[in-house]
Amino acid sequence: MESNECTRAGQDCSQTEDELVRGDFTTSKLGTKEYWNDAYRRELQTFKDIGDVGEIWFGEESMNRVLRWMEKENVPGDAAILDIGTGNGVLLVELAKSGYTNLTGIDYSAASVELARSVLRTENICNVEIKEVDFLSCTGELGCFDVCIDKGTFDAISLNPENTEEGKACYVQALRGALKENGLFVITSCNWTKEQLLQMFSQGFDFVKELPTPQFQFGGKTGNIVTAIIFKRLH
């Protein structure tokens, strides 16, 4: 994500809950399906030409952070895991290499799905299911997962210039439908702080922990470059 879309990280956390939920950053083309279709068509062609998988969202450390947490929490190898907005599928590759065998990735971009499948084939990984699915429209269609992972998809939905609030509400509803009771949701965001995420996922989810992420200082305040939160789905 472009750096000017990540300006939320160091904000003043004394804001009211209404201000936190409403947000004050500007919507962007990064929230549109057209943008991501174009981006993944380019990445797909680049992969076909030179084998470059493209951008790793939030960098490799963001993947390693999640993998370390899963190992520490002893998430079993056969746990049903959903990668929401899989992009190039690199997270699924790393999960498979770490021994996880029940993996599904979804994305609403057909080019993303083709790219992810191509990357997985190149890595000789055959036991991962990739689906072309719009998460906001799939309530009840995905089945029950033990773990759902999001690295930037909720951010993109939040940036959509059209129906932004409706999109966020649909996301929460779809997530409840995708997770088993007591299932875990791992979200990494560069647009939302811990306090904002806790408020937006307050209905139907319980806070488990915050994963440590890089910090910065500006104007005497300390903030996080990204926020990584674990939630548990309530009954």
Side-chain angles (χ1 to χ4, degrees):
M1 182 173 291
E2 297 172 0
S3 59
N4 62 345
E5 302 299 343
C6 298
T7 57
R8 299 289 296 170
Q11 68 179 356
D12 182 354
C13 294
S14 64
Q15 292 170 290
T16 67
E17 288 185 350
D18 285 345
E19 288 172 327
L20 289 174
V21 174
R22 185 176 64 248
D24 56 15
F25 62 88
T26 305
T27 57
S28 163
K29 64 181 181 180
L30 273 75
T32 65
K33 186 175 182 178
E34 291 76 15
Y35 175 88
W36 292 110
N37 277 334
D38 290 343
Y40 285 117
R41 278 194 287 264
R42 291 193 300 270
E43 290 197 3
L44 177 61
Q45 188 58 54
T46 300
F47 182 76
K48 290 178 178 179
D49 292 341
I50 61 175
D52 185 348
V53 299
E55 181 180 1
I56 297 175
W57 204 243
F58 300 137
E60 291 186 13
E61 175 56 25
S62 66
M63 293 192 301
N64 295 335
R65 184 183 304 117
V66 173
L67 291 168
R68 287 194 300 267
W69 168 78
M70 293 176 68
E71 180 180 359
K72 183 177 180 180
E73 296 300 317
N74 295 315
V75 176
D78 62 351
I81 300 172
L82 176 66
D83 184 17
I84 303 170
T86 196
N88 54 20
V90 172
L91 175 59
L92 293 170
V93 170
E94 296 305 314
L95 286 166
K97 289 181 177 180
S98 296
Y100 294 98
T101 58
N102 189 358
L103 301 172
T104 301
I106 61 169
D107 206 293
Y108 66 4
S109 168
S112 161
V113 170
E114 184 178 350
L115 173 60
R117 288 172 176 168
S118 299
V119 171
L120 287 161
R121 282 196 300 269
T122 299
E123 296 287 343
N124 295 315
I125 297 172
C126 305
N127 60 338
V128 176
E129 186 171 14
I130 306 292
K131 299 180 179 180
E132 183 181 342
V133 172
D134 184 345
F135 189 61
L136 301 187
S137 305
C138 69
T139 300
E141 297 180 13
L142 289 173
C144 293
F145 288 88
D146 299 295
V147 180
C148 289
I149 303 173
D150 180 326
K151 291 198 305 90
T153 298
F154 186 71
D155 281 353
I157 289 168
S158 303
L159 291 169
N160 192 330
E162 298 181 1
N163 302 319
T164 306
E165 296 305 316
E166 179 182 352
K168 289 187 287 187
C170 287
Y171 182 100
V172 175
Q173 182 179 1
L175 182 63
R176 281 185 54 82
L179 270 176
K180 295 178 180 177
E181 183 177 337
N182 295 321
L184 297 170
F185 172 51
V186 188
I187 181 169
T188 303
S189 170
C190 75
N191 280 343
W192 301 108
T193 64
K194 173 185 176 180
E195 289 75 14
Q196 291 170 313
L197 291 172
L198 290 177
Q199 178 64 18
M200 285 184 283
F201 290 93
S202 62
Q203 299 299 313
F205 296 90
D206 195 17
F207 170 72
V208 176
K209 70 181 301 182
E210 180 179 13
L211 302 182
T213 60
Q215 293 186 327
F216 68 92
Q217 288 189 332
F218 182 77
K221 297 180 182 293
T222 299
N224 293 82
I225 296 172
V226 296
T227 304
I229 302 288
I230 313 296
F231 290 97
K232 177 184 291 187
R233 183 195 181 279
L234 303 176
H235 59 79

